[in-house]
Amino acid sequence: MNVKDGYFYSKEHEWVKIDGNKAKVGISDYAQHKLGDITYVDLPPVGKAVKQLEILTGIESVKAASDIYSPMTGKVIAVNKALENAPELVNASPFEDGWIAQLEISNPAETANLMNAAAYKTFLSGLEE
Amino acid sequence: MYSKTTRYIPFSSYSPYENMAIDEYLLSYYERTSQPVLRIYGWSPVGISVGKNQEALKDLDLNRCKKDAVPVVRRQTGGGAIYHNNEITYSIVCSEKDLSCKDLTVKESFEKLNQFIIKMYAKYSLTAAYARDFQPSGSKFGNPAAFCFASNEEYDIVIKGKKIGGNAQSRKKDIIFQHGSVPLQPNPGAMDYFIKKEDNGNYTDLAALIGRVVDPVEACANMIASFTETFFCSLEEMPLKLDEKREVVALLTSKYAVNNWNLKQ
């Protein structure tokens, strides 16, 4: 599974990439592989406030609807509208073109509750045992 | 679930709204107790369920539903619409750990979980298998359809080349919630009448396969037996208690009996 440096990861397999007080959010390569072909991404409304590790929105793969949790506390300031017509971008490019939402984050220190790439790799290897 | 005592909610028929409210309650029950649940139920009155993210306004003829007093309810699971009549429906709540499928993909978990349905059909001397086993390698699967039984997925259950019933999941962290239906008799014309498109007709039902109509109570007994045999577990029969029913009613009145949820865009 591809794990990218420079991202933080949650145990529920979401990633966040922080740039100042903005943060893009998506699901990891492991998550997209596990879910299978993504058929729908429920883009959250811009302006929605969310707390760390609470439900941000939902995603559907073939016959399975799953929750997506927010890796950080913040407010949704943008969503990836390309996913409306091309949800498969989450499968093809989970870390880049398949980003789901951008948050304005309120507490960068919350990354202490997440994993960096090295820790996430270790976490994944534990799941596969 | 393997070797774990599973709560069994005995067969009964409820309205579409009540059914989905009970199922959501059972998910919260699992979150509190970690006890797997099997529930088998019927639909009275008959109704249509749509997938969690399905566009009901686009895919259903809501005027006909209204005219014929057929309720439409939204599931918490994915997939397409189902007209629920002449069938038994099941719901299962368990965790990936209960099912020993933590390292499996969602599709592979269907394969594992649906074994008990295949075993159930075997009790009627029917050889059921997964769709992928009937199609040449390289076949294209995964064409979501407005009508569940017209979809074509690798782990759909197929008998004599025709799809039978449907299954769909909802995932909440490591908790798996799965719905499925076993059609006991055909519902001629209903799919075309209420659901707007894509009825390829390539589906079947138990009566068509074995030449007699199976009573829901009999189907239910066979489902229970195949479930315990597949997962080596015992069942603890535990109907909903009064305080649980109160929680169901709260979900019913706040969510499932109102159109904000059922017909959301």
Side-chain angles (χ1 to χ4, degrees):
Chain A
M1 294 299 153
N2 188 14
V3 176
K4 290 196 82 165
D5 290 330
Y7 291 62
F8 289 96
Y9 299 85
S10 71
K11 286 183 178 173
E12 305 307 328
H13 308 287
E14 290 87 12
W15 58 255
V16 59
K17 190 166 192 331
I18 298 169
D19 181 11
N21 68 340
K22 293 179 182 174
K24 275 191 175 173
V25 173
I27 66 169
S28 70
D29 190 36
Y30 174 90
Q32 70 79 20
H33 173 76
K34 181 161 184 163
L35 291 174
D37 298 336
I38 304 296
T39 56
Y40 179 79
V41 180
D42 188 13
L43 296 172
V46 171
K48 175 178 179 169
V50 66
K51 289 187 176 168
Q52 188 179 38
L53 306 182
E54 289 189 349
I55 294 172
L56 171 64
T57 189
I59 193 165
E60 187 161 336
S61 54
V62 174
K63 290 194 172 182
S66 307
D67 291 333
I68 295 177
Y69 299 85
S70 182
M72 306 281 284
T73 299
K75 188 173 77 176
V76 177
I77 54 172
V79 294
N80 185 0
K81 287 196 173 295
L83 299 180
E84 286 177 349
N85 295 318
E88 64 275 14
L89 286 172
V90 175
N91 295 114
S93 175
F95 294 108
E96 306 291 346
D97 299 340
W99 68 276
I100 292 168
Q102 187 176 39
L103 306 179
E104 184 178 77
I105 56 172
S106 47
N107 183 8
E110 285 180 336
T111 53
N113 303 323
L114 303 172
M115 292 172 275
N116 62 20
Y120 185 58
K121 277 180 193 168
T122 305
F123 177 70
L124 290 182
S125 62
L127 294 180
E128 286 161 6
E129 281 170 4
Chain B
M1 190 149 59
Y2 280 109
S3 308
K4 209 168 170 182
T5 301
T6 297
R7 178 178 183 178
Y8 171 61
I9 312 279
F11 181 85
S12 192
S13 294
Y14 294 91
S15 78
Y17 307 134
E18 289 170 307
N19 275 333
M20 295 302 99
I22 292 170
D23 281 351
E24 182 168 333
Y25 167 74
L26 293 177
L27 187 55
S28 66
Y29 172 82
Y30 185 92
E31 287 179 299
R32 281 203 304 274
T33 66
S34 298
Q35 182 179 28
V37 182
L38 168 67
R39 173 178 174 237
I40 309 176
Y41 55 96
W43 301 69
S44 179
V46 302
I48 293 172
S49 74
V50 295
K52 182 174 182 181
N53 296 306
Q54 190 171 11
E55 290 184 66
L57 296 175
K58 192 179 104 194
D59 292 342
L60 299 184
D61 190 326
L62 292 173
N63 288 330
R64 287 178 174 173
C65 295
K66 194 173 175 184
K67 184 165 89 50
D68 291 21
V70 172
V72 175
V73 68
R74 186 172 296 278
R75 303 187 303 266
Q76 54 183 309
T77 52
I82 297 181
Y83 177 72
H84 297 280
N85 188 25
N86 296 322
E87 69 170 40
I88 58 168
T89 307
Y90 71 83
S91 51
I92 293 171
V93 197
C94 64
S95 70
E96 292 184 334
K97 195 176 166 195
D98 295 331
L99 195 60
S100 303
C101 71
K102 213 164 177 60
D103 57 340
L104 299 184
T105 65
V106 167
K107 282 185 186 176
E108 289 165 340
S109 76
F110 271 103
E111 179 180 23
K112 201 160 191 179
L113 208 41
N114 289 350
Q115 282 295 334
F116 87 99
I117 301 294
I118 286 180
K119 199 168 269 189
M120 177 191 167
Y121 289 127
K123 293 185 185 300
Y124 294 97
S125 301
L126 295 169
T127 304
Y130 295 113
R132 60 149 198 205
D133 298 329
F134 286 99
Q135 303 228 5
S137 64
S139 293
K140 176 69 181 156
F141 287 100
N143 56 334
F147 169 42
C148 175
F149 295 176
S151 70
N152 169 33
E153 313 295 351
E154 285 169 82
Y155 294 111
D156 283 342
I157 296 172
V158 171
I159 300 176
K160 294 183 178 173
K162 291 189 172 185
K163 181 173 174 177
I164 183 158
N167 303 281
Q169 286 185 6
S170 162
R171 294 292 190 114
K172 196 169 187 183
K173 296 188 177 175
D174 69 338
I175 302 173
I176 300 170
F177 181 97
Q178 182 165 316
H179 271 141
S181 62
V182 172
L184 303 178
Q185 295 181 64
N187 296 304
M191 312 301 179
D192 281 340
Y193 184 72
F194 294 113
I195 301 168
K196 284 182 181 168
K197 55 182 182 179
E198 296 169 20
D199 181 3
N200 59 14
N202 193 34
Y203 49 89
T204 189
D205 59 84
L206 205 48
L209 290 162
I210 65 171
R212 71 177 174 93
V213 174
V214 174
D215 186 85
V217 174
E218 178 194 333
C220 192
N222 276 329
M223 183 177 277
I224 290 168
S226 61
F227 185 89
T228 53
E229 288 160 18
T230 302
F231 299 114
F232 309 106
C233 64
S234 57
L235 296 184
E236 179 183 13
E237 185 167 317
M238 205 193 301
L240 291 176
K241 295 171 188 157
L242 189 59
D243 59 329
E244 294 181 299
K245 286 180 181 172
R246 284 197 194 103
E247 289 191 50
V248 169
V249 169
L251 281 167
L252 184 66
T253 52
S254 65
K255 183 173 178 180
Y256 288 100
V258 293
N259 281 341
N260 279 356
W261 167 254
N262 294 327
L263 302 182
K264 71 169 184 165
Q265 297 274 21

